[in-house]
mmCIF file of all heavy atoms in Angstrom:
data_model
loop_
_atom_site.group_PDB
_atom_site.id
_atom_site.type_symbol
_atom_site.label_atom_id
_atom_site.label_comp_id
_atom_site.label_asym_id
_atom_site.label_seq_id
_atom_site.Cartn_x
_atom_site.Cartn_y
_atom_site.Cartn_z
ATOM 1 N N GLN T 51 -37.432 -13.129 -24.914
ATOM 2 C CA GLN T 51 -36.999 -14.418 -24.350
ATOM 3 C C GLN T 51 -36.257 -14.141 -23.054
ATOM 4 O O GLN T 51 -35.308 -13.345 -23.029
ATOM 5 C CB GLN T 51 -36.096 -15.145 -25.326
ATOM 6 C CG GLN T 51 -35.591 -16.481 -24.824
ATOM 7 C CD GLN T 51 -36.699 -17.500 -24.689
ATOM 8 O OE1 GLN T 51 -37.371 -17.848 -25.658
ATOM 9 N NE2 GLN T 51 -36.917 -18.007 -23.467
ATOM 10 N N THR T 52 -36.660 -14.814 -21.980
ATOM 11 C CA THR T 52 -36.056 -14.566 -20.676
ATOM 12 C C THR T 52 -35.325 -15.797 -20.160
ATOM 13 O O THR T 52 -35.613 -16.932 -20.575
ATOM 14 C CB THR T 52 -37.103 -14.143 -19.638
ATOM 15 O OG1 THR T 52 -37.861 -15.286 -19.223
ATOM 16 C CG2 THR T 52 -38.040 -13.086 -20.190
ATOM 17 N N SER T 53 -34.393 -15.571 -19.252
ATOM 18 C CA SER T 53 -33.688 -16.660 -18.592
ATOM 19 C C SER T 53 -33.076 -16.136 -17.304
ATOM 20 O O SER T 53 -32.993 -14.923 -17.091
ATOM 21 C CB SER T 53 -32.603 -17.239 -19.511
ATOM 22 O OG SER T 53 -31.649 -16.248 -19.831
ATOM 23 N N GLY T 54 -32.677 -17.068 -16.444
ATOM 24 C CA GLY T 54 -31.965 -16.687 -15.224
ATOM 25 C C GLY T 54 -32.844 -16.444 -14.009
ATOM 26 O O GLY T 54 -32.347 -16.050 -12.957
ATOM 27 N N PHE T 55 -34.158 -16.679 -14.136
ATOM 28 C CA PHE T 55 -35.066 -16.525 -13.002
ATOM 29 C C PHE T 55 -36.322 -17.374 -13.260
ATOM 30 O O PHE T 55 -36.529 -17.859 -14.372
ATOM 31 C CB PHE T 55 -35.439 -15.057 -12.780
ATOM 32 C CG PHE T 55 -36.209 -14.426 -13.909
ATOM 33 C CD1 PHE T 55 -37.585 -14.251 -13.822
ATOM 34 C CD2 PHE T 55 -35.568 -13.990 -15.059
ATOM 35 C CE1 PHE T 55 -38.299 -13.659 -14.856
ATOM 36 C CE2 PHE T 55 -36.261 -13.396 -16.093
ATOM 37 C CZ PHE T 55 -37.628 -13.239 -15.996
ATOM 38 N N THR T 56 -37.121 -17.548 -12.222
ATOM 39 C CA THR T 56 -38.356 -18.325 -12.357
ATOM 40 C C THR T 56 -39.423 -17.423 -12.965
ATOM 41 O O THR T 56 -40.114 -16.673 -12.265
ATOM 42 C CB THR T 56 -38.809 -18.871 -10.989
ATOM 43 O OG1 THR T 56 -37.739 -19.628 -10.412
ATOM 44 C CG2 THR T 56 -40.036 -19.777 -11.162
ATOM 45 N N PHE T 57 -39.556 -17.516 -14.266
ATOM 46 C CA PHE T 57 -40.385 -16.590 -15.049
ATOM 47 C C PHE T 57 -41.816 -16.508 -14.540
ATOM 48 O O PHE T 57 -42.395 -15.432 -14.436
ATOM 49 C CB PHE T 57 -40.361 -17.025 -16.515
ATOM 50 C CG PHE T 57 -41.189 -16.177 -17.426
ATOM 51 C CD1 PHE T 57 -40.760 -14.921 -17.821
ATOM 52 C CD2 PHE T 57 -42.412 -16.638 -17.912
ATOM 53 C CE1 PHE T 57 -41.518 -14.136 -18.673
ATOM 54 C CE2 PHE T 57 -43.182 -15.864 -18.767
ATOM 55 C CZ PHE T 57 -42.730 -14.605 -19.150
ATOM 56 N N SER T 58 -42.397 -17.654 -14.199
ATOM 57 C CA SER T 58 -43.813 -17.693 -13.825
ATOM 58 C C SER T 58 -44.099 -16.989 -12.509
ATOM 59 O O SER T 58 -45.264 -16.784 -12.158
ATOM 60 C CB SER T 58 -44.291 -19.142 -13.763
ATOM 61 O OG SER T 58 -43.517 -19.871 -12.832
ATOM 62 N N ASP T 59 -43.063 -16.591 -11.760
ATOM 63 C CA ASP T 59 -43.246 -15.948 -10.457
ATOM 64 C C ASP T 59 -43.309 -14.421 -10.513
ATOM 65 O O ASP T 59 -43.541 -13.776 -9.483
ATOM 66 C CB ASP T 59 -42.104 -16.327 -9.508
ATOM 67 C CG ASP T 59 -42.234 -17.735 -8.969
ATOM 68 O OD1 ASP T 59 -43.300 -18.349 -9.164
ATOM 69 O OD2 ASP T 59 -41.255 -18.221 -8.361
ATOM 70 N N TYR T 60 -43.136 -13.833 -11.696
ATOM 71 C CA TYR T 60 -42.988 -12.380 -11.759
ATOM 72 C C TYR T 60 -43.860 -11.739 -12.829
ATOM 73 O O TYR T 60 -44.040 -12.278 -13.923
ATOM 74 C CB TYR T 60 -41.533 -12.003 -12.021
ATOM 75 C CG TYR T 60 -40.614 -12.442 -10.909
ATOM 76 C CD1 TYR T 60 -39.911 -13.640 -10.994
ATOM 77 C CD2 TYR T 60 -40.496 -11.682 -9.750
ATOM 78 C CE1 TYR T 60 -39.105 -14.060 -9.961
ATOM 79 C CE2 TYR T 60 -39.687 -12.098 -8.709
ATOM 80 C CZ TYR T 60 -38.992 -13.293 -8.819
ATOM 81 O OH TYR T 60 -38.201 -13.705 -7.782
ATOM 82 N N ALA T 61 -44.372 -10.560 -12.471
ATOM 83 C CA ALA T 61 -45.049 -9.743 -13.464
ATOM 84 C C ALA T 61 -44.021 -9.234 -14.473
ATOM 85 O O ALA T 61 -42.843 -9.058 -14.144
ATOM 86 C CB ALA T 61 -45.755 -8.574 -12.799
ATOM 87 N N MET T 62 -44.492 -9.005 -15.690
ATOM 88 C CA MET T 62 -43.634 -8.512 -16.764
ATOM 89 C C MET T 62 -44.323 -7.325 -17.443
ATOM 90 O O MET T 62 -45.541 -7.168 -17.357
ATOM 91 C CB MET T 62 -43.385 -9.614 -17.801
ATOM 92 C CG MET T 62 -42.705 -10.859 -17.263
ATOM 93 S SD MET T 62 -40.995 -10.589 -16.761
ATOM 94 C CE MET T 62 -40.221 -10.187 -18.345
ATOM 95 N N SER T 63 -43.545 -6.531 -18.117
ATOM 96 C CA SER T 63 -44.124 -5.404 -18.826
ATOM 97 C C SER T 63 -43.299 -5.058 -20.053
ATOM 98 O O SER T 63 -42.187 -5.553 -20.233
ATOM 99 C CB SER T 63 -44.225 -4.182 -17.907
ATOM 100 O OG SER T 63 -42.935 -3.748 -17.510
ATOM 101 N N TRP T 64 -43.890 -4.222 -20.889
ATOM 102 C CA TRP T 64 -43.188 -3.610 -22.005
ATOM 103 C C TRP T 64 -43.208 -2.101 -21.777
ATOM 104 O O TRP T 64 -44.252 -1.532 -21.411
ATOM 105 C CB TRP T 64 -43.872 -3.938 -23.330
ATOM 106 C CG TRP T 64 -43.642 -5.334 -23.802
ATOM 107 C CD1 TRP T 64 -44.420 -6.426 -23.544
ATOM 108 C CD2 TRP T 64 -42.560 -5.788 -24.620
ATOM 109 N NE1 TRP T 64 -43.881 -7.531 -24.143
ATOM 110 C CE2 TRP T 64 -42.740 -7.174 -24.815
ATOM 111 C CE3 TRP T 64 -41.457 -5.172 -25.208
ATOM 112 C CZ2 TRP T 64 -41.854 -7.955 -25.579
ATOM 113 C CZ3 TRP T 64 -40.585 -5.939 -25.962
ATOM 114 C CH2 TRP T 64 -40.788 -7.312 -26.134
ATOM 115 N N VAL T 65 -42.053 -1.489 -21.983
ATOM 116 C CA VAL T 65 -41.938 -0.043 -21.918
ATOM 117 C C VAL T 65 -41.273 0.422 -23.205
ATOM 118 O O VAL T 65 -40.688 -0.383 -23.930
ATOM 119 C CB VAL T 65 -41.121 0.407 -20.681
ATOM 120 C CG1 VAL T 65 -41.802 -0.055 -19.403
ATOM 121 C CG2 VAL T 65 -39.695 -0.093 -20.746
ATOM 122 N N ARG T 66 -41.374 1.709 -23.495
ATOM 123 C CA ARG T 66 -40.763 2.228 -24.708
ATOM 124 C C ARG T 66 -40.134 3.578 -24.453
ATOM 125 O O ARG T 66 -40.491 4.278 -23.500
ATOM 126 C CB ARG T 66 -41.789 2.308 -25.834
ATOM 127 C CG ARG T 66 -42.898 3.316 -25.628
ATOM 128 C CD ARG T 66 -43.967 3.175 -26.711
ATOM 129 N NE ARG T 66 -45.047 4.133 -26.534
ATOM 130 C CZ ARG T 66 -46.164 4.141 -27.261
ATOM 131 N NH1 ARG T 66 -46.358 3.226 -28.215
ATOM 132 N NH2 ARG T 66 -47.085 5.066 -27.049
ATOM 133 N N GLN T 67 -39.213 3.928 -25.331
ATOM 134 C CA GLN T 67 -38.555 5.222 -25.247
ATOM 135 C C GLN T 67 -38.433 5.796 -26.649
ATOM 136 O O GLN T 67 -37.700 5.259 -27.481
ATOM 137 C CB GLN T 67 -37.181 5.107 -24.583
ATOM 138 C CG GLN T 67 -36.526 6.452 -24.333
ATOM 139 C CD GLN T 67 -35.236 6.339 -23.557
ATOM 140 O OE1 GLN T 67 -34.496 5.359 -23.682
ATOM 141 N NE2 GLN T 67 -34.950 7.339 -22.731
ATOM 142 N N ALA T 68 -39.164 6.868 -26.890
ATOM 143 C CA ALA T 68 -39.087 7.560 -28.174
ATOM 144 C C ALA T 68 -37.863 8.478 -28.175
ATOM 145 O O ALA T 68 -37.370 8.856 -27.105
ATOM 146 C CB ALA T 68 -40.359 8.362 -28.401
ATOM 147 N N PRO T 69 -37.389 8.849 -29.366
ATOM 148 C CA PRO T 69 -36.212 9.722 -29.431
ATOM 149 C C PRO T 69 -36.402 11.006 -28.633
ATOM 150 O O PRO T 69 -37.411 11.699 -28.780
ATOM 151 C CB PRO T 69 -36.097 10.018 -30.932
ATOM 152 C CG PRO T 69 -36.748 8.857 -31.592
ATOM 153 C CD PRO T 69 -37.860 8.446 -30.682
ATOM 154 N N GLY T 70 -35.460 11.287 -27.747
ATOM 155 C CA GLY T 70 -35.502 12.516 -26.971
ATOM 156 C C GLY T 70 -36.489 12.538 -25.826
ATOM 157 O O GLY T 70 -36.707 13.583 -25.208
ATOM 158 N N LYS T 71 -37.101 11.397 -25.539
ATOM 159 C CA LYS T 71 -38.110 11.342 -24.473
ATOM 160 C C LYS T 71 -37.733 10.301 -23.423
ATOM 161 O O LYS T 71 -36.839 9.487 -23.623
ATOM 162 C CB LYS T 71 -39.478 11.017 -25.069
ATOM 163 C CG LYS T 71 -39.998 12.073 -26.031
ATOM 164 C CD LYS T 71 -41.432 11.808 -26.434
ATOM 165 C CE LYS T 71 -41.966 12.908 -27.327
ATOM 166 N NZ LYS T 71 -43.385 12.672 -27.723
ATOM 167 N N GLY T 72 -38.440 10.319 -22.295
ATOM 168 C CA GLY T 72 -38.198 9.367 -21.232
ATOM 169 C C GLY T 72 -38.905 8.046 -21.473
ATOM 170 O O GLY T 72 -39.628 7.877 -22.458
ATOM 171 N N PHE T 73 -38.686 7.114 -20.562
ATOM 172 C CA PHE T 73 -39.358 5.815 -20.666
ATOM 173 C C PHE T 73 -40.861 5.978 -20.439
ATOM 174 O O PHE T 73 -41.297 6.766 -19.613
ATOM 175 C CB PHE T 73 -38.783 4.844 -19.652
ATOM 176 C CG PHE T 73 -37.448 4.279 -20.046
ATOM 177 C CD1 PHE T 73 -36.275 4.785 -19.503
ATOM 178 C CD2 PHE T 73 -37.352 3.246 -20.964
ATOM 179 C CE1 PHE T 73 -35.046 4.274 -19.870
ATOM 180 C CE2 PHE T 73 -36.124 2.730 -21.340
ATOM 181 C CZ PHE T 73 -34.965 3.247 -20.788
ATOM 182 N N GLU T 74 -41.623 5.187 -21.161
ATOM 183 C CA GLU T 74 -43.083 5.236 -21.099
ATOM 184 C C GLU T 74 -43.599 3.808 -20.977
ATOM 185 O O GLU T 74 -43.304 2.969 -21.837
ATOM 186 C CB GLU T 74 -43.592 5.897 -22.384
ATOM 187 C CG GLU T 74 -45.083 6.023 -22.528
ATOM 188 C CD GLU T 74 -45.424 6.761 -23.821
ATOM 189 O OE1 GLU T 74 -45.494 6.093 -24.873
ATOM 190 O OE2 GLU T 74 -45.631 7.980 -23.778
ATOM 191 N N TRP T 75 -44.373 3.549 -19.923
ATOM 192 C CA TRP T 75 -44.945 2.221 -19.755
ATOM 193 C C TRP T 75 -45.984 1.972 -20.859
ATOM 194 O O TRP T 75 -46.789 2.847 -21.171
ATOM 195 C CB TRP T 75 -45.599 2.111 -18.383
ATOM 196 C CG TRP T 75 -46.364 0.849 -18.164
ATOM 197 C CD1 TRP T 75 -45.881 -0.394 -17.922
ATOM 198 C CD2 TRP T 75 -47.791 0.718 -18.200
ATOM 199 N NE1 TRP T 75 -46.910 -1.299 -17.796
ATOM 200 C CE2 TRP T 75 -48.094 -0.644 -17.950
ATOM 201 C CE3 TRP T 75 -48.839 1.598 -18.408
ATOM 202 C CZ2 TRP T 75 -49.402 -1.130 -17.910
ATOM 203 C CZ3 TRP T 75 -50.145 1.120 -18.361
ATOM 204 C CH2 TRP T 75 -50.412 -0.232 -18.118
ATOM 205 N N VAL T 76 -45.981 0.767 -21.425
ATOM 206 C CA VAL T 76 -46.884 0.426 -22.522
ATOM 207 C C VAL T 76 -47.938 -0.596 -22.090
ATOM 208 O O VAL T 76 -49.140 -0.392 -22.283
ATOM 209 C CB VAL T 76 -46.099 -0.129 -23.726
ATOM 210 C CG1 VAL T 76 -47.047 -0.580 -24.836
ATOM 211 C CG2 VAL T 76 -45.117 0.918 -24.249
ATOM 212 N N ALA T 77 -47.478 -1.703 -21.505
ATOM 213 C CA ALA T 77 -48.403 -2.780 -21.128
ATOM 214 C C ALA T 77 -47.750 -3.645 -20.067
ATOM 215 O O ALA T 77 -46.526 -3.738 -20.005
ATOM 216 C CB ALA T 77 -48.773 -3.627 -22.344
ATOM 217 N N GLY T 78 -48.596 -4.278 -19.243
ATOM 218 C CA GLY T 78 -48.083 -5.154 -18.208
ATOM 219 C C GLY T 78 -48.953 -6.383 -18.043
ATOM 220 O O GLY T 78 -50.137 -6.376 -18.425
ATOM 221 N N ILE T 79 -48.364 -7.447 -17.497
ATOM 222 C CA ILE T 79 -49.096 -8.690 -17.272
ATOM 223 C C ILE T 79 -48.639 -9.300 -15.959
ATOM 224 O O ILE T 79 -47.438 -9.380 -15.674
ATOM 225 C CB ILE T 79 -48.918 -9.670 -18.462
ATOM 226 C CG1 ILE T 79 -49.795 -10.895 -18.298
ATOM 227 C CG2 ILE T 79 -47.453 -10.032 -18.674
ATOM 228 C CD1 ILE T 79 -49.900 -11.736 -19.589
ATOM 229 N N GLN T 80 -49.593 -9.700 -15.143
ATOM 230 C CA GLN T 80 -49.260 -10.265 -13.846
ATOM 231 C C GLN T 80 -48.770 -11.708 -13.998
ATOM 232 O O GLN T 80 -48.949 -12.350 -15.031
ATOM 233 C CB GLN T 80 -50.482 -10.209 -12.921
ATOM 234 C CG GLN T 80 -50.836 -8.796 -12.508
ATOM 235 C CD GLN T 80 -51.959 -8.750 -11.493
ATOM 236 O OE1 GLN T 80 -52.704 -9.717 -11.318
ATOM 237 N NE2 GLN T 80 -52.091 -7.611 -10.808
ATOM 238 N N ALA T 81 -48.204 -12.224 -12.893
ATOM 239 C CA ALA T 81 -47.559 -13.536 -12.944
ATOM 240 C C ALA T 81 -48.547 -14.681 -13.056
ATOM 241 O O ALA T 81 -48.431 -15.536 -13.928
ATOM 242 C CB ALA T 81 -46.694 -13.732 -11.701
ATOM 243 N N SER T 82 -49.543 -14.706 -12.173
ATOM 244 C CA SER T 82 -50.334 -15.920 -12.043
ATOM 245 C C SER T 82 -51.631 -15.910 -12.846
ATOM 246 O O SER T 82 -51.803 -16.705 -13.761
ATOM 247 C CB SER T 82 -50.644 -16.172 -10.569
ATOM 248 O OG SER T 82 -51.166 -14.997 -9.978
ATOM 249 N N ARG T 83 -52.513 -14.943 -12.549
ATOM 250 C CA ARG T 83 -53.803 -14.948 -13.242
ATOM 251 C C ARG T 83 -53.715 -14.337 -14.629
ATOM 252 O O ARG T 83 -54.663 -14.428 -15.411
ATOM 253 C CB ARG T 83 -54.837 -14.193 -12.407
ATOM 254 C CG ARG T 83 -55.188 -14.884 -11.105
ATOM 255 C CD ARG T 83 -56.164 -14.033 -10.311
ATOM 256 N NE ARG T 83 -55.564 -12.762 -9.944
ATOM 257 C CZ ARG T 83 -56.268 -11.729 -9.485
ATOM 258 N NH1 ARG T 83 -57.583 -11.808 -9.385
ATOM 259 N NH2 ARG T 83 -55.659 -10.602 -9.152
ATOM 260 N N GLY T 84 -52.561 -13.730 -14.925
ATOM 261 C CA GLY T 84 -52.395 -13.163 -16.262
ATOM 262 C C GLY T 84 -53.174 -11.886 -16.473
ATOM 263 O O GLY T 84 -53.421 -11.504 -17.623
ATOM 264 N N LEU T 85 -53.546 -11.203 -15.399
ATOM 265 C CA LEU T 85 -54.242 -9.928 -15.536
ATOM 266 C C LEU T 85 -53.350 -8.950 -16.286
ATOM 267 O O LEU T 85 -52.154 -8.867 -16.018
ATOM 268 C CB LEU T 85 -54.580 -9.358 -14.160
ATOM 269 C CG LEU T 85 -55.403 -8.073 -14.132
ATOM 270 C CD1 LEU T 85 -56.829 -8.346 -14.610
ATOM 271 C CD2 LEU T 85 -55.412 -7.463 -12.733
ATOM 272 N N THR T 86 -53.941 -8.209 -17.244
ATOM 273 C CA THR T 86 -53.165 -7.306 -18.084
ATOM 274 C C THR T 86 -53.626 -5.865 -17.924
ATOM 275 O O THR T 86 -54.753 -5.592 -17.493
ATOM 276 C CB THR T 86 -53.278 -7.702 -19.565
ATOM 277 O OG1 THR T 86 -54.656 -7.680 -19.955
ATOM 278 C CG2 THR T 86 -52.712 -9.089 -19.809
ATOM 279 N N GLY T 87 -52.738 -4.948 -18.297
ATOM 280 C CA GLY T 87 -53.065 -3.531 -18.282
ATOM 281 C C GLY T 87 -52.344 -2.828 -19.406
ATOM 282 O O GLY T 87 -51.275 -3.285 -19.844
ATOM 283 N N TYR T 88 -52.932 -1.731 -19.894
ATOM 284 C CA TYR T 88 -52.373 -1.006 -21.041
ATOM 285 C C TYR T 88 -52.477 0.499 -20.807
ATOM 286 O O TYR T 88 -53.424 0.976 -20.173
ATOM 287 C CB TYR T 88 -53.153 -1.346 -22.315
ATOM 288 C CG TYR T 88 -53.143 -2.820 -22.649
ATOM 289 C CD1 TYR T 88 -54.129 -3.678 -22.154
ATOM 290 C CD2 TYR T 88 -52.145 -3.365 -23.447
ATOM 291 C CE1 TYR T 88 -54.110 -5.031 -22.440
ATOM 292 C CE2 TYR T 88 -52.114 -4.716 -23.745
ATOM 293 C CZ TYR T 88 -53.107 -5.541 -23.229
ATOM 294 O OH TYR T 88 -53.077 -6.882 -23.516
ATOM 295 N N ARG T 89 -51.507 1.231 -21.377
ATOM 296 C CA ARG T 89 -51.670 2.677 -21.371
ATOM 297 C C ARG T 89 -52.792 3.020 -22.334
ATOM 298 O O ARG T 89 -53.070 2.285 -23.295
ATOM 299 C CB ARG T 89 -50.372 3.377 -21.741
ATOM 300 C CG ARG T 89 -49.928 3.281 -23.161
ATOM 301 C CD ARG T 89 -48.636 4.094 -23.382
ATOM 302 N NE ARG T 89 -48.809 5.494 -23.077
ATOM 303 C CZ ARG T 89 -48.322 6.075 -21.987
ATOM 304 N NH1 ARG T 89 -47.645 5.374 -21.091
ATOM 305 N NH2 ARG T 89 -48.502 7.361 -21.778
ATOM 306 N N ALA T 90 -53.440 4.140 -22.103
ATOM 307 C CA ALA T 90 -54.657 4.485 -22.844
ATOM 308 C C ALA T 90 -54.414 4.561 -24.347
ATOM 309 O O ALA T 90 -55.263 4.132 -25.147
ATOM 310 C CB ALA T 90 -55.210 5.810 -22.327
ATOM 311 N N SER T 91 -53.258 5.070 -24.757
ATOM 312 C CA SER T 91 -53.015 5.299 -26.186
ATOM 313 C C SER T 91 -52.825 4.009 -26.981
ATOM 314 O O SER T 91 -52.868 4.041 -28.217
ATOM 315 C CB SER T 91 -51.797 6.198 -26.366
ATOM 316 O OG SER T 91 -50.628 5.584 -25.847
ATOM 317 N N VAL T 92 -52.613 2.875 -26.320
ATOM 318 C CA VAL T 92 -52.446 1.615 -27.044
ATOM 319 C C VAL T 92 -53.578 0.638 -26.760
ATOM 320 O O VAL T 92 -53.648 -0.437 -27.377
ATOM 321 C CB VAL T 92 -51.091 0.942 -26.718
ATOM 322 C CG1 VAL T 92 -49.941 1.922 -26.913
ATOM 323 C CG2 VAL T 92 -51.066 0.339 -25.327
ATOM 324 N N GLN T 93 -54.462 0.979 -25.819
ATOM 325 C CA GLN T 93 -55.591 0.109 -25.471
ATOM 326 C C GLN T 93 -56.394 -0.225 -26.731
ATOM 327 O O GLN T 93 -56.749 0.670 -27.501
ATOM 328 C CB GLN T 93 -56.494 0.806 -24.455
ATOM 329 C CG GLN T 93 -57.691 0.009 -24.015
ATOM 330 C CD GLN T 93 -57.333 -1.048 -22.993
ATOM 331 O OE1 GLN T 93 -56.628 -0.779 -22.043
ATOM 332 N NE2 GLN T 93 -57.837 -2.256 -23.197
ATOM 333 N N GLY T 94 -56.660 -1.502 -26.939
ATOM 334 C CA GLY T 94 -57.420 -1.926 -28.111
ATOM 335 C C GLY T 94 -56.569 -2.179 -29.339
ATOM 336 O O GLY T 94 -57.050 -2.758 -30.317
ATOM 337 N N ARG T 95 -55.323 -1.748 -29.318
ATOM 338 C CA ARG T 95 -54.424 -1.969 -30.464
ATOM 339 C C ARG T 95 -53.298 -2.947 -30.118
ATOM 340 O O ARG T 95 -52.837 -3.695 -30.989
ATOM 341 C CB ARG T 95 -53.800 -0.645 -30.912
ATOM 342 C CG ARG T 95 -54.794 0.393 -31.366
ATOM 343 C CD ARG T 95 -54.093 1.591 -32.007
ATOM 344 N NE ARG T 95 -53.220 2.309 -31.080
ATOM 345 C CZ ARG T 95 -51.909 2.491 -31.280
ATOM 346 N NH1 ARG T 95 -51.322 2.010 -32.360
ATOM 347 N NH2 ARG T 95 -51.200 3.165 -30.392
ATOM 348 N N PHE T 96 -52.845 -2.935 -28.887
ATOM 349 C CA PHE T 96 -51.750 -3.799 -28.449
ATOM 350 C C PHE T 96 -52.285 -4.884 -27.523
ATOM 351 O O PHE T 96 -53.228 -4.649 -26.760
ATOM 352 C CB PHE T 96 -50.701 -2.985 -27.687
ATOM 353 C CG PHE T 96 -49.901 -2.011 -28.520
ATOM 354 C CD1 PHE T 96 -50.241 -1.698 -29.834
ATOM 355 C CD2 PHE T 96 -48.783 -1.405 -27.988
ATOM 356 C CE1 PHE T 96 -49.501 -0.808 -30.586
ATOM 357 C CE2 PHE T 96 -48.024 -0.509 -28.714
ATOM 358 C CZ PHE T 96 -48.386 -0.209 -30.016
#
Side-chain angles (χ1 to χ4, degrees):
Q51 180 67 60
T52 75
S53 61
F55 64 102
T56 305
F57 179 76
S58 58
D59 284 349
Y60 297 96
M62 300 292 295
S63 64
W64 285 91
V65 299
R66 67 188 180 187
Q67 187 174 33
K71 297 188 177 181
F73 283 100
E74 179 177 85
W75 173 75
V76 176
I79 186 167
Q80 291 185 342
S82 50
R83 293 177 297 166
L85 184 69
T86 58
Y88 301 90
R89 71 177 300 106
S91 62
V92 308
Q93 180 78 47
R95 299 189 297 122
F96 291 11

